[in-house]
Amino acid sequence: MGLHAYLGLAAVVFAVGLFGVLTRRNAIGILLGIELMLNAVNINLAAFTRFHGDPTGLVFALFTIAITVAEVGVGLAIVIAIFRVRRTVEADHLTLLRG
Amino acid sequence: MAGPALAVLGLPFAAFVLLAGVPPLRRRGRLAGALSIAAVAGALGVALDLWRRGIRVEARWTWIPADGGPVASVGVLVDELSAAMLVLVTGISFLVQVYSLSYLDAEPPPALGRYYAYQALFAFSMLGLVLAPGFLQMFVFWELVGLCSYLLIGYWYARPAAARAAVKAFWVTKLGDLGFVVGIVMLWGATGTFDFAPLFALAARGGLPAEGLGAILLLVYLGAVGKSAQVPLHVWLPDAMEGPTPVSALIHAATMVTAGVFLVTRAMPLFALAPDVLALVGWVGAITAFLAATMACVEDDIKRVLAYSTVSQLGYMMAAAGAGAPEAGFGHLLTHGVFKALLFLAAGAVIHALGTNDIFRMGGLFGAMWQTGTAFVVGSLALAGVWPLAGFFSKEAVLAGVLAGGRPGPFLLLAVTTFLTAFYMFRVVFVAFLGRPHPGAHPHEAPVLMTGPLWVLIALTVGLGARAAGDGTAAAHGPGWLAPLSLGLAAAGVLLAWAMYRRQAPAALRLAGLLAPLAFVARKRYGLDALYAAAYRGAILGLSLVVGWVDRYVVDGLVNLWSALTLRGGDLLRRVQSGRAQDYVYGVAFGVLVLFLWAQWVMR
């Protein structure tokens, strides 16, 4: 299996994540989609480290994982806060910014 | 040598500067009046001295220097003409200011101080005009005189009629002044000087360009038409009656309206070169005299009768100047100044006592105020041209001059006007001063500050006439039948007024009935005022319509267009903001896609 196989997998995972972000109505589903996209990036980083023999990618992958965790923490906190106020987490209903 | 002439000019100016620059002094009212009166009295003394000793002074100083000699100069010029004018102006100013102290005693002190500041400025302006040795200085003071008449006519500026009359006087005279300034600049362009002495020297040598001189003089004459209230620019003078009566006396007798006649007299060496313009001056003068007299015959307002009579007498002066007898016109200016001031001050005393201008609400005033009555009758006799008062001789000289100048048309008009003059003056005398007292009126004699100037003017009117009679100068004028003719016409006018308003004879009343349509037209002032008002209103309204359209549709249109564009654009763009986060992500994803494809295309 070559580099392209990993990149292809990452692209597919990223696309699935993007699709989820765009189509999910539930805020938690959207967060899940974001997770998938971030993990596609991680796959890319790991694959490049493996095939180029440069450990810098792994360092970045570790950073990404750490930041992802923080992001999920903050994101879920926001979702809970929204739910407390609006009694819903449906993204379609959260249109306060409409012009 | 120019010292005394400068003193005449400087005294009223110093009074004006003091009154204008020191508000506490001005607000004292009567003190301000005393200061102004003292200044004018001093000027009168110096002017009398100049006139009596026959001093001739011409002094000029460079005003605008240039390489080839001064472009313009200022200075003083005293000769027979200006010395006599100086005495008239300072004398009438002095009497009017003394009279005003009593006439305006009900005014608050600050307003009275303002009045005297204007009076001092008025005297200064007119004296500067009289002393001017060139057209340019004359024009500057000419405009100052116009400004002062505006200020004094509008002295009671809170009254709308007075404010309107002041503006009307200003605008109508400005119309003539426009011609004046264009004329003197054209004259300067042709000769390179504004000053009288070099211009007259050129004229005497025949060095003036013949072509174009007529047009230049016509324009200069236009200025005189406006100032001296000749037809068709006479409309401002009757309205100027809205000012206090002493102001009317001053404007009509000594300052303002005499400026035009003075200008034509002063520039006579130039006018003599343009016979066509002179003929026009004569005809316009005669027509003015006649039309104004007819309008005076139907006025009920005592001051307006006098105003139209002034217009009429100015017509006499201009007719004389136009016939090549400027000294006769100028002589009439001087005597007219005296007895017209007398008439106005007498009318002022009546108005002060009764509070009305309508002669039909007066009557039998002679009994209650014999001094004022005497003054008015003497003034009327002089104006009607009755021997041996001053008016007889000067009017005689004017008629003789016009006849000698070979102008039968204007002479006939002026002769008829003599009859009308006697008629309208004695109409006022019979209605207001004789006859039955009006039940609502309670006349009382004027205080001594007002009767004093009246007696001085009566003495002058009689004295000037007596002197002319004693000189035998009357015999020097015209053919033998002229004096009986004018006396007869005057007597006929007095008789008709007596028959119509005192006796109310049936024949006279039938005549009045026959003339009713004419009276109606004259009462409407021949439609001239209405015509001007309509033209003025039409011009202003037309201009306003255009300006309004441009403002509404061009200026506002641009502003509205931009605001509409912004609004519509914002409304369209607003719909992009759905408020759903996912729509924005779509945008971001689409943007990344486009960037990606663009990068691919560029890399290739």
Side-chain angles (χ1 to χ4, degrees):
Chain A
M1 291 221 295
L3 177 61
H4 282 276
Y6 291 96
L7 293 187
L9 172 69
V12 169
V13 173
F14 186 87
V16 168
L18 184 59
F19 182 75
V21 168
L22 292 180
T23 55
R24 282 274 153 188
R25 291 290 169 257
N26 192 306
I28 293 173
I30 293 169
L31 279 177
L32 288 178
I34 294 171
E35 286 302 306
L36 278 180
M37 287 156 76
L38 284 163
N39 279 314
V41 172
N42 284 343
I43 292 170
N44 273 0
L45 288 168
F48 280 120
T49 302
R50 172 78 175 74
F51 283 92
H52 286 182
D54 184 353
T56 316
L58 281 181
V59 176
F60 270 100
L62 269 174
F63 268 113
T64 313
I65 290 162
I67 290 169
T68 308
V69 169
E71 179 251 311
V72 168
V74 173
L76 283 174
I78 290 173
V79 170
I80 290 165
I82 289 174
F83 184 76
R84 280 186 182 158
V85 177
R86 310 281 306 259
R87 287 283 143 196
T88 177
V89 289
E90 291 293 303
D92 281 356
H93 297 161
L94 305 175
T95 55
L96 274 178
L97 282 179
R98 204 171 82 150
Chain B
M1 274 308 278
L6 285 178
V8 175
L9 196 54
L11 277 167
F13 185 62
F16 166 70
V17 169
L18 266 177
L19 292 182
V22 187
L25 189 62
R26 188 174 67 240
R27 295 208 186 92
R28 291 291 299 279
R30 297 181 81 83
L31 186 65
L35 178 75
S36 176
I37 289 169
V40 174
L44 172 62
V46 180
L48 270 174
D49 184 51
L50 273 174
W51 177 63
R52 207 166 38 78
R53 290 197 292 163
I55 291 174
R56 303 280 166 271
V57 182
E58 175 159 16
R60 272 178 292 168
W61 297 277
T62 301
W63 180 13
I64 308 174
D67 293 335
V71 173
S73 49
V74 291
V76 290
L77 168 59
V78 182
D79 54 7
E80 300 91 347
L81 201 62
S82 47
M85 261 319 256
L86 287 184
V87 173
L88 179 72
V89 172
T90 49
I92 301 291
S93 287
F94 172 70
L95 292 174
V96 162
Q97 291 194 14
V98 171
Y99 179 94
S100 302
L101 266 187
S102 174
Y103 187 83
L104 294 173
D105 54 358
E107 292 289 311
L112 195 63
R114 180 165 59 85
Y115 174 81
Y116 275 103
Y118 293 164
Q119 281 276 4
L121 183 63
F122 207 168
F124 162 71
S125 313
M126 192 62 198
L127 292 170
L129 192 158
V130 169
L131 286 169
F135 277 119
L136 196 61
Q137 185 184 339
M138 196 182 217
F139 179 72
V140 172
F141 283 99
W142 181 277
E143 290 301 316
L144 268 176
V145 168
L147 168 73
C148 292
S149 67
Y150 164 79
L151 291 172
L152 282 171
I153 293 167
Y155 171 67
W156 284 313
Y157 55 80
R159 291 195 343 209
R164 261 203 308 277
V167 171
K168 187 172 180 182
F170 201 71
W171 272 108
V172 173
T173 54
K174 279 303 147 286
L175 207 63
D177 295 353
L178 190 66
F180 186 20
V181 71
V182 172
I184 61 172
V185 170
M186 277 168 71
L187 191 61
W188 178 80
T191 62
T193 179
F194 287 115
D195 296 327
F196 294 131
L199 278 174
F200 294 166
L202 261 179
R205 278 209 314 275
L208 279 174
E211 70 272 16
L213 188 66
I216 290 171
L217 289 175
L218 191 63
L219 286 168
V220 171
Y221 170 61
L222 205 58
V225 169
K227 267 287 192 284
S228 284
Q230 301 285 296
V231 170
L233 295 184
H234 65 282
V235 290
W236 66 272
L237 198 53
D239 283 23
M241 294 299 105
E242 291 298 334
T245 310
V247 171
S248 309
L250 189 61
I251 288 179
H252 286 242
T255 58
M256 190 73 184
V257 296
T258 53
V261 179
F262 181 77
L263 166 68
V264 173
T265 311
R266 177 60 99 196
M268 195 39 84
L270 299 179
F271 278 101
L273 296 180
D276 296 347
V277 178
L278 266 189
L280 179 76
V281 172
W283 269 105
V284 170
I287 292 170
T288 304
F290 177 71
L291 285 187
T294 56
M295 288 188 266
C297 289
V298 295
E299 269 297 343
D300 295 340
D301 182 324
I302 186 167
K303 279 177 76 180
R304 279 176 197 264
V305 173
L306 294 179
Y308 279 120
S309 87
T310 303
V311 177
S312 176
Q313 300 304 311
L314 288 166
Y316 270 93
M317 299 169 205
M318 284 296 202
E327 65 291 335
F330 189 69
H332 195 48
L333 190 161
L334 295 178
T335 57
H336 171 259
V338 173
F339 59 72
K340 186 47 68 68
L342 173 63
L343 282 169
F344 262 112
L345 295 187
V350 171
I351 294 165
H352 191 66
L354 291 182
T356 176
N357 286 7
D358 189 345
I359 54 172
F360 288 103
R361 301 185 57 174
M362 303 170 183
L365 293 179
F366 217 106
M369 33 205 312
W370 66 273
Q371 301 188 53
T372 307
T374 308
F376 201 89
V377 170
V378 170
S380 300
L381 285 170
L383 186 60
V386 172
W387 193 85
L389 296 168
F392 169 75
F393 297 101
S394 56
K395 192 173 275 187
E396 203 60 27
V398 168
L399 288 172
V402 172
L403 198 60
R407 304 216 195 282
F411 175 77
L412 273 181
L413 275 175
L414 293 182
V416 174
T417 308
T418 306
F419 165 74
L420 289 174
T421 308
F423 172 72
Y424 66 67
M425 282 321 295
F426 278 86
R427 173 174 172 263
V428 175
V429 169
F430 286 131
V431 170
F433 286 92
L434 302 172
R436 274 184 305 280
H438 193 271
H442 303 288
H444 54 85
E445 186 55 270
V448 67
L449 267 182
M450 282 159 80
T451 52
L454 288 180
W455 283 113
V456 173
L457 287 167
I458 291 175
L460 276 174
T461 308
V462 176
L464 282 176
R467 215 187 69 168
D471 279 0
T473 44
H477 295 307
W481 49 267
L482 190 59
L485 172 73
S486 80
L487 271 178
L489 284 169
V494 176
L495 261 180
L496 182 62
W498 177 78
M500 243 185 207
Y501 293 98
R502 190 90 173 93
R503 272 291 304 278
Q504 310 205 315
L509 292 180
R510 262 203 306 283
L511 180 65
L514 273 177
L515 292 177
L518 269 180
F520 175 77
V521 178
R523 220 178 266 277
K524 291 282 175 211
R525 303 175 178 185
Y526 297 102
L528 265 176
D529 283 52
L531 180 71
Y532 284 137
Y536 185 70
R537 219 168 279 151
I540 293 287
L541 278 182
L543 184 69
S544 321
L545 273 178
V546 173
V547 169
W549 188 87
V550 168
D551 185 52
R552 203 165 300 137
Y553 293 105
V554 176
V555 178
D556 285 9
L558 274 175
V559 173
N560 288 341
L561 180 70
W562 283 115
S563 83
L565 275 177
T566 314
L567 272 175
R568 290 293 302 274
D571 198 48
L572 281 174
L573 284 173
R574 186 172 64 85
R575 288 155 208 267
V576 173
Q577 308 285 336
S578 67
R580 287 197 302 242
Q582 282 157 326
D583 291 350
Y584 303 136
V585 179
Y586 265 119
V588 171
F590 186 71
V592 169
L593 190 66
V594 169
L595 267 180
F596 184 73
L597 289 176
W598 179 72
Q600 287 290 314
W601 180 67
V602 168
M603 297 296 171
R604 198 152 44 78

